[in-house]
Amino acid sequence: MKLPPLNALPAFEAVARLNSFTKAADELNVSQSAISHQIRALESYLGEDLFTRQGRKLSLTEEGQNYWEAISSSLSQIERASEQLQGVASSEIRLALFSSFAVRWLIPNLPSLQRNHPEVDLQLEMKNDNPVLSDHTADCFVTIQPESKGYSMDLLYIEKLFPICSRSYWNQMCDTLYQQGKIDTLTPAHLPAELLFQFPLLSTISIFDKPKQDWQRWAYAGRLSIPDTVRYQQFSHMLLTLEAARHHQGIALTNDYMYDPDRDSDLIRLPCHDFITDDKFYFAFKTSRRNEPSIMKVRQWIQKTARSTGLI
């Protein structure tokens, strides 16, 4: 087995992660010159430059980036295997997930994890986009990526969108439609979907990365065409759209993890059709880490909670 200078690998991983020789030296409790010597020895062994230096700016070369991604995962596995044999496996677990899923579903349900598994220290890494599946990012993930080599996926949720508004706005809508003779009761059990188009529609751009696409697809699912006279308000994120609906600004499209009838008593789900998007949410973890107790506890808890809250 031909291996590189093993003492140089932790030094390289620290410099790459911290983007600093000084910080790496402080973390490893060695001198900066020792770190520099180890990096030079590793570069000499590999025959490649791992870093580029322009003045005080330090960055990984393409070869360095690829090498870091490969060896840091292996170093982490060695560390975890050693801790398990010593009986001191870490209870700290980093979970990376969408900010909306974290704020509206995970955090309100976290007390049950803390009650059932107080030994698990769950650290949340909130992301605006789909989190990158990598040990650099987190230990486990909530992702809409359906598969990735080396990762196991548990289905948590198949997204569907449906219209909501504030209770106050709903009462105003019903009063208007009743006065117009379009409904025969102020508390309709079903509302013809086309009647929504005379009220402002609150649209979330990030759902399909195109303006108004959420409502366009909802209408298409109901075999409807939205008239050109419809008034839209557009928001970058569903959290903003939900707050606009809460403040009586119009009708929004949301999903099951964003809307909880028990917690959101000031909002009402309109009696119209819903539609299923292409997004499926998964709990993901590296298959090689399937025997780590803390990851398995989080996995079992999130599956159980998804079932009990009606996500799956």
Side-chain angles (χ1 to χ4, degrees):
M1 182 181 293
K2 190 177 181 181
L3 295 174
L6 296 182
N7 287 340
L9 297 183
F12 167 68
E13 189 281 330
V15 174
R17 173 168 42 84
L18 299 171
N19 200 36
S20 168
F21 278 66
T22 302
K23 292 179 180 178
D26 290 341
E27 181 176 285
L28 298 176
N29 198 28
V30 297
S31 67
Q32 184 173 335
S33 62
I35 294 289
S36 298
H37 175 75
Q38 289 170 342
I39 297 300
R40 285 196 300 271
L42 185 59
E43 289 179 326
S44 176
Y45 174 85
L46 296 172
E48 297 283 355
D49 289 333
L50 300 174
F51 296 94
T52 58
R53 304 162 182 84
Q54 295 179 342
R56 293 187 176 183
K57 185 178 180 181
L58 180 71
S59 59
L60 285 163
T61 63
E62 182 178 353
E63 293 79 9
Q65 180 71 33
N66 293 334
Y67 194 61
W68 177 49
E69 291 177 356
I71 68 103
S72 61
S73 177
S74 299
L75 290 174
S76 295
Q77 290 183 33
I78 292 171
E79 180 182 29
R80 289 191 297 269
S82 302
E83 288 176 341
Q84 288 176 8
L85 284 178
Q86 293 173 324
V88 292
S90 175
S91 62
E92 295 182 357
I93 294 296
R94 296 168 299 150
L95 173 62
L97 69 169
F98 295 102
S99 55
S100 55
F101 194 88
V103 171
R104 295 295 303 172
W105 187 84
L106 186 76
I107 291 175
N109 287 298
L110 271 184
S112 69
L113 175 66
Q114 295 161 350
R115 286 193 303 269
N116 293 309
H117 301 291
E119 72 282 5
V120 174
D121 181 8
L122 186 65
Q123 302 176 10
L124 301 184
E125 301 281 347
M126 291 169 54
K127 305 294 181 181
N128 290 328
D129 300 314
N130 205 35
V132 176
L133 302 188
S134 166
D135 283 335
H136 305 316
T137 307
D139 303 300
C140 47
F141 310 82
V142 173
T143 176
I144 59 173
Q145 184 174 333
E147 59 183 22
S148 182
K149 184 178 180 180
Y151 280 82
S152 297
M153 306 281 185
D154 298 327
L155 180 64
L156 293 179
Y157 175 57
I158 300 174
E159 185 179 53
K160 62 183 177 186
L161 297 180
F162 49 83
I164 63 166
C165 67
S166 71
R167 288 190 177 275
S168 173
Y169 199 81
W170 169 246
N171 291 333
Q172 294 177 37
M173 286 174 56
C174 291
D175 184 64
T176 298
L177 295 171
Y178 183 77
Q179 295 296 329
Q180 293 173 347
K182 295 179 179 177
I183 56 175
D184 54 13
T185 174
L186 289 174
T187 56
H190 173 73
L191 188 67
E194 61 270 17
L195 296 182
L196 271 58
F197 301 149
Q198 70 182 76
F199 303 96
L201 303 181
L202 311 178
S203 176
T204 303
I205 297 172
S206 62
I207 297 177
F208 296 110
D209 294 323
K210 287 184 67 176
K212 308 175 186 177
Q213 274 296 297
D214 50 349
W215 279 106
Q216 295 288 346
R217 296 199 189 192
W218 178 83
Y220 181 80
R223 299 182 179 181
L224 301 170
S225 178
I226 300 179
D228 294 336
T229 55
V230 162
R231 292 168 291 163
Y232 287 97
Q233 289 188 53
Q234 299 184 56
F235 302 87
S236 62
H237 198 286
M238 196 182 286
L239 285 169
L240 299 176
T241 311
L242 194 69
E243 286 307 298
R246 197 184 303 279
H247 288 85
H248 328 299
Q249 294 178 27
I251 306 166
L253 287 173
T254 195
N255 60 33
D256 292 291
Y257 71 76
M258 291 290 292
Y259 169 67
D260 184 333
D262 295 328
R263 289 189 290 112
D264 299 311
S265 57
D266 55 337
L267 296 172
I268 186 169
R269 179 172 176 171
L270 276 57
C272 301
H273 71 273
D274 56 36
F275 87 102
I276 295 175
T277 72
D278 295 329
D279 285 341
K280 296 180 180 179
F281 288 67
Y282 300 87
F283 177 77
F285 60 96
K286 189 167 282 187
T287 304
S288 62
R289 302 182 65 180
R290 61 188 176 277
N291 293 323
E292 292 188 27
S294 293
I295 289 181
M296 290 303 100
K297 288 174 183 177
V298 173
R299 178 193 187 190
Q300 292 163 7
W301 170 79
I302 203 168
Q303 287 178 320
K304 181 180 178 181
T305 306
R307 285 192 294 268
S308 67
T309 58
L311 287 188
I312 54 175

